[in-house]
Amino acid sequence: MPVSPQSYTRIVYAQPTKGLIDVKTFRAEEVPFDLKPGADEVVVRIDYLSLDPAMRLWINDGDNEFNYTAPVQVGQTMRGIGLATVIEAGENSGFSVGDHVSGTVGVTEYNTVKASTLTKIDLSERSQLLDFIGPLGHPGITAYIGLFDIGQIKAGETLVVSGAAGAVGSLVCQLGKDKGAKVYGTVGSAEKCKYLEEDVGVVKALNYKSPTFREDFVREFGKIDVFFDNVGGEILDFALTRLNMHARVVLCGSISSYTSEAVPFKNFSHVFFHRARVEGFSLIDQGHRFADARAYLAEKVAQGALKSKYHILEGIEEVPMAINMLFRGENNGKLVVKIAHD
Ligand SMILES: NC(=O)c1ccc[n+]([C@@H]2O[C@H](COP(=O)([O-])OP(=O)(O)OC[C@H]3O[C@@H](n4cnc5c(N)ncnc54)[C@H](OP(=O)(O)O)[C@@H]3O)[C@@H](O)[C@H]2O)c1
């Protein structure tokens, strides 16, 4: 059974930043362990934290147009999604000591969390714990809703995914392939192209940093039925010139503009010419779809049709600077930090 320590470390938002996180943006604080659950709360030990591009948005000013959820305030513990173990359960929480849970647990080693915001993890399926911040967690649900509900992908269609080797992107590629689509991806390195073609099984992956990227895109990908966009900016603008009639453009994320100015669009008229649909979505509006998504994804994981690669760092102090890895393309797979030392 997990036991409470004398003290624990949490990462506090210390100072606003422009662009990437710097050494002053966050501070690590060691505090005495005095956590007690209310009746509808649990005290959890955090086991793994998911590092997400949205963490950079969560510390933007409230006025920032990108901030789709309340910003974290200076002095508060940083928000973070993770996997945790219940070490004390309030009487009405519905959880027991030792339960594995996922949810917004904070960038901290221990926390008190409202039970209603947590999901109990059932490890009975053919899955490992980390899958609950991978294909069975928010990246998987994002891929499912974006590709099926918004993208309406069909067998035989051409699917192009940007940010294709990342947590969400690699799952979109696999779900698309499993549906019978012809899947292509764009990524930032030759190594990621190789991973996508050899391990994920896309037809062709292209490095957007190559000087011949645009010609290669036209030659290799042909015209697009569904463009699943994780990155925004110039890649999205160019992809708009390659749409088939009635194409769907799924705006999942726009990581190229989270730490720098967004680029102006030149090609939006192609949406009209091709009677295409462009639709953004956010998981925060999609709670009603989670159960269906989880059931589908669990079946695919059990069949071995959906795999995830994890890039694992260790220690809570690593979290602040590691967020930058997402913006430099330095993560090879879903970026996670192991927190609990067992
Ligand atoms: N809509 C939703 O509800 C929802 C939910 C979760 C995530 N998202 C979004 O989904 C996207 C992917 O998130 P993730 O967690 O799966 O991250 P990820 O893809 O695992 O990591 C981010 C990747 O973005 C790429 N990237 C960074 N800067 C770039 C740039 N300027 N241009 C092109 N590519 C760039 C890098 O890959 P390369 O090496 O290929 O450049 C990097 O590895 C993000 O935009 C995120 O905000 C949306």
Side-chain angles (χ1 to χ4, degrees):
M1 274 301 141
V3 286
S4 327
Q6 297 283 308
S7 66
Y8 67 99
T9 300
R10 64 186 181 197
I11 302 296
V12 171
Y13 178 36
Q15 183 175 296
T17 182
K18 292 259 179 253
L20 293 173
I21 307 294
D22 65 44
V23 287
K24 294 191 181 145
T25 312
F26 295 99
R27 65 171 180 270
E29 267 183 14
E30 189 174 350
V31 289
F33 186 96
D34 58 359
L35 302 174
K36 274 277 157 207
D40 60 350
E41 292 178 329
V42 290
V43 176
V44 293
R45 179 196 71 191
I46 287 80
D47 299 315
Y48 288 94
L49 281 170
S50 163
L51 295 201
D52 294 289
M55 293 169 96
R56 180 62 193 81
L57 301 181
W58 293 338
I59 55 166
N60 280 342
D61 299 345
D63 299 347
N64 189 304
E65 59 189 307
F66 290 132
N67 223 343
Y68 54 85
T69 184
V72 178
Q73 303 293 327
V74 167
Q76 288 182 337
T77 299
M78 179 57 186
R79 184 178 298 145
I81 297 171
L83 302 171
T85 305
V86 174
I87 61 167
E88 196 175 345
E91 59 206 28
N92 303 327
S93 69
F95 288 102
S96 307
V97 171
D99 281 350
H100 292 295
V101 294
S102 64
T104 304
V105 292
V107 182
T108 172
E109 290 179 309
Y110 292 85
N111 210 352
T112 305
V113 186
K114 280 258 177 279
S116 59
T117 67
L118 297 171
T119 304
K120 188 170 172 192
I121 290 174
D122 174 10
L123 272 174
S124 61
E125 298 135 19
R126 263 187 37 200
S127 53
Q128 54 165 327
L129 187 60
L130 275 178
D131 288 340
F132 290 84
I133 41 175
L136 301 176
H138 59 291
I141 298 172
T142 304
Y144 172 96
I145 290 170
L147 187 61
F148 298 148
D149 293 2
I150 315 288
Q152 301 279 317
I153 190 76
K154 294 176 203 67
E157 288 190 323
T158 294
L159 165 67
V160 176
V161 183
S162 66
V168 173
S170 65
L171 294 169
V172 174
C173 290
Q174 293 172 77
L175 288 174
K177 200 178 148 210
D178 186 70
K179 264 275 182 218
K182 288 172 279 180
V183 185
Y184 302 87
T186 67
V187 283
S189 72
E191 188 192 351
K192 290 184 183 179
C193 287
K194 190 166 180 278
Y195 162 68
L196 278 179
E197 289 173 4
E198 294 180 4
D199 296 355
V200 174
V202 304
V203 181
K204 183 78 187 165
L206 294 175
N207 182 351
Y208 63 82
K209 293 174 185 164
S210 157
T212 59
F213 173 66
R214 289 173 184 227
E215 297 119 79
D216 298 343
F217 192 121
V218 171
R219 190 186 61 249
E220 299 288 348
F221 295 177
K223 291 289 189 102
I224 305 170
D225 297 303
V226 175
F227 183 62
F228 191 107
D229 187 38
N230 288 305
V231 308
E234 287 178 9
I235 296 174
L236 168 60
D237 193 40
F238 180 68
L240 294 180
T241 68
R242 304 298 304 153
L243 301 179
N244 264 329
M245 289 295 277
H246 305 295
R248 284 81 70 204
V249 178
V250 181
L251 302 186
C252 174
S254 180
I255 194 167
S256 67
S257 60
Y258 297 174
T259 55
S260 56
E261 285 291 307
V263 299
F265 273 66
K266 294 189 234 129
N267 299 314
F268 213 75
S269 56
H270 288 260
V271 173
F272 160 66
F273 295 141
H274 294 93
R275 282 73 125 185
R277 176 164 57 80
V278 179
E279 188 172 346
F281 75 102
S282 171
L283 274 198
I284 55 174
D285 310 318
Q286 299 286 338
H288 59 289
R289 296 291 292 136
F290 287 10
D292 283 352
R294 283 198 178 105
Y296 184 93
L297 294 161
E299 201 179 308
K300 293 296 164 193
V301 168
Q303 289 167 1
L306 214 47
K307 298 194 181 104
S308 232
K309 181 154 110 176
Y310 297 98
H311 187 143
I312 305 174
L313 306 173
E314 205 160 331
I316 194 155
E317 287 84 358
E318 295 294 319
V319 171
M321 299 317 286
I323 295 170
N324 288 339
M325 292 173 69
L326 297 164
F327 298 93
R328 295 187 178 122
E330 291 168 354
N331 59 310
N332 279 303
K334 169 70 202 152
L335 190 58
V336 298
V337 181
K338 185 173 190 292
I339 305 296
H341 317 275
D342 36 28

